[in-house]
Amino acid sequence: MPQHPPAALHRTVPSPAGRIHLVEQGEGPLVLLVHGFPESWYSWRHQLPALAAAGFRAAAIDVRGYGRSSRPAEPDAYRMLDHVADNAAVVEALGERTAVVVGHDWGANIAAASALLRPEVFRAVGLLSVPYTPPGGPRPSEVFAGMGGPEELYVSYFQRPGRAEAEIEPDVRGWLAGLYAALSGDTMAEPGSPDPHFVAPGGTMRDRFPAGRLPAWLGEDDLDFYAGEFERTGLTGALNRYRNMDRDWVDLAGHAGAPLRQPSLFAGGARDASTTWLADAIEAYPTTLPGLSAAHLLDGCGHWIQQERPDETNRLLTDWLATLPALPASP
């Protein structure tokens, strides 16, 4: 008879943030799953049972600022060093010494930084949607301010505290639905349409979101879950991640140009701006990710890869995880 993985378990563990909420499923080597913006542990709902069935202990966290995890009040409590410290604390709290870390969107950046700064803990790294770019280069705020001409890149739009919150929080559910649709392979605007990553002078992000249609991967119940979380917590904790990019640039200056040497995997959507804008980063993988197993671009897929293409993502992850060296037996 086939073995079914045990049910998913919610728990909170101590971390430098205060507490991190996570959902875990399965037994075996630990795989830490880190979501992006504006998401939740729930973004990994399709991966938790698949990884458990493949013989792994999967743990999907709510990143600090989200869900049931702590939401520090200080904007600078969301710098990359803090997220790395949270991830390492979760591994320790779960009674493990090492983990594979897999991240999507901002979670991919957090996963990469965790592998870079704590290689003794994070023995392999999987990156979804956002390619690895080593620390260094020009100051981020200057780069983003120079993009878009008279229009404003969303990252710059998010910088001033309260500004994006004033757009989003009066109608969280509608705003989330629009953003998810704008970046999904089956509902995004046709090429040549106004880019939803930019804000026109005097406008808002939602001005360019598609209306009236949810992407195929997003059911009404799924949208209700995401909206309910952000209606309860607000968006400030999530947006504060964007407000620390210059601090990260300073904090990680000593690692400029550093490759990730652990075994690694990348998968992204061929229709995702993250993979098209950062195509040069993918081409640089032989240098920046010398332990890369493969880089996969899924045709027709947008930004929300593990939700848009759950079966394919699960296969890519479980096949890759099966190639990793076995952990030594505990003493």
Side-chain angles (χ1 to χ4, degrees):
M1 295 290 290
Q3 295 296 310
H4 296 288
L9 173 69
H10 289 256
R11 62 190 296 187
T12 57
V13 298
S15 83
R19 70 176 182 276
I20 293 293
H21 166 253
L22 60 90
V23 179
E24 65 171 314
Q25 191 167 6
E27 298 177 352
L30 179 62
V31 181
L32 188 67
L33 303 171
V34 188
H35 68 80
F37 176 88
E39 299 183 82
S40 155
W41 74 266
Y42 188 76
S43 308
W44 302 102
R45 62 195 178 280
H46 303 297
Q47 284 67 54
L48 287 165
L51 295 177
F56 296 92
R57 182 186 186 188
I61 67 170
D62 277 335
V63 171
R64 69 164 63 193
Y66 289 81
R68 300 188 211 170
S69 292
S70 291
R71 300 186 299 279
E74 303 79 11
D76 66 355
Y78 295 84
R79 60 212 306 157
M80 189 61 76
L81 296 180
D82 294 311
H83 291 290
V84 172
D86 286 341
N87 282 354
V90 168
V91 174
E92 181 179 1
L94 293 178
E96 303 287 352
R97 291 180 297 181
T98 65
V100 177
V101 61
V102 178
H104 170 255
D105 182 77
W106 260 124
N109 295 104
I110 295 170
S114 298
L116 178 66
L117 300 178
R118 299 296 305 271
E120 78 285 4
V121 176
F122 299 103
R123 64 190 184 99
V125 57
L127 307 175
L128 301 184
S129 297
V130 176
Y132 176 60
T133 55
R139 184 181 294 272
S141 61
E142 295 173 357
V143 173
F144 298 132
M147 298 176 65
E151 298 187 335
E152 188 174 17
L153 183 69
Y154 74 100
V155 178
S156 297
Y157 180 73
F158 285 166
Q159 292 303 305
R160 190 171 75 233
R163 183 186 185 191
E165 289 93 326
E167 173 186 342
I168 302 168
E169 291 184 357
D171 177 20
V172 170
R173 193 179 194 276
W175 194 90
L176 292 175
L179 180 67
Y180 295 148
L183 304 186
S184 293
D186 62 332
T187 48
M188 65 176 56
E190 293 301 316
S193 302
D195 192 334
H197 295 89
F198 292 89
V199 180
T204 64
M205 285 186 67
R206 71 187 305 155
D207 294 339
R208 295 182 173 179
F209 292 167
R213 181 183 170 200
L214 294 182
W217 62 267
L218 185 69
E220 295 286 352
D221 290 346
D222 301 320
L223 180 57
D224 285 344
F225 181 88
Y226 284 121
E229 291 289 89
F230 288 111
E231 286 165 354
R232 179 171 53 80
T233 65
L235 271 292
T236 296
L239 289 163
N240 278 342
R241 173 83 286 274
Y242 290 92
R243 296 165 183 161
N244 280 276
M245 297 179 76
D246 281 354
R247 293 186 183 99
D248 298 338
W249 182 74
V250 173
D251 290 341
L252 300 177
H255 299 273
L260 296 182
R261 301 195 178 279
Q262 296 95 319
S264 56
L265 175 78
F266 175 77
R271 299 199 68 192
D272 185 1
S274 297
T275 59
T276 55
W277 290 357
L278 296 175
D280 289 348
I282 297 174
E283 291 180 6
Y285 277 170
T287 299
T288 61
L289 291 178
L292 183 69
S293 170
H296 304 271
L297 289 179
L298 307 190
D299 288 341
C301 185
H303 184 64
W304 319 103
I305 178 171
Q306 78 269 38
Q307 299 178 85
E308 291 187 52
R309 300 287 180 83
D311 293 341
E312 194 164 358
T313 301
N314 292 345
R315 179 180 59 78
L316 293 174
L317 288 175
T318 55
D319 286 354
W320 171 65
L321 289 167
T323 70
L324 300 179
L327 292 175
S330 300

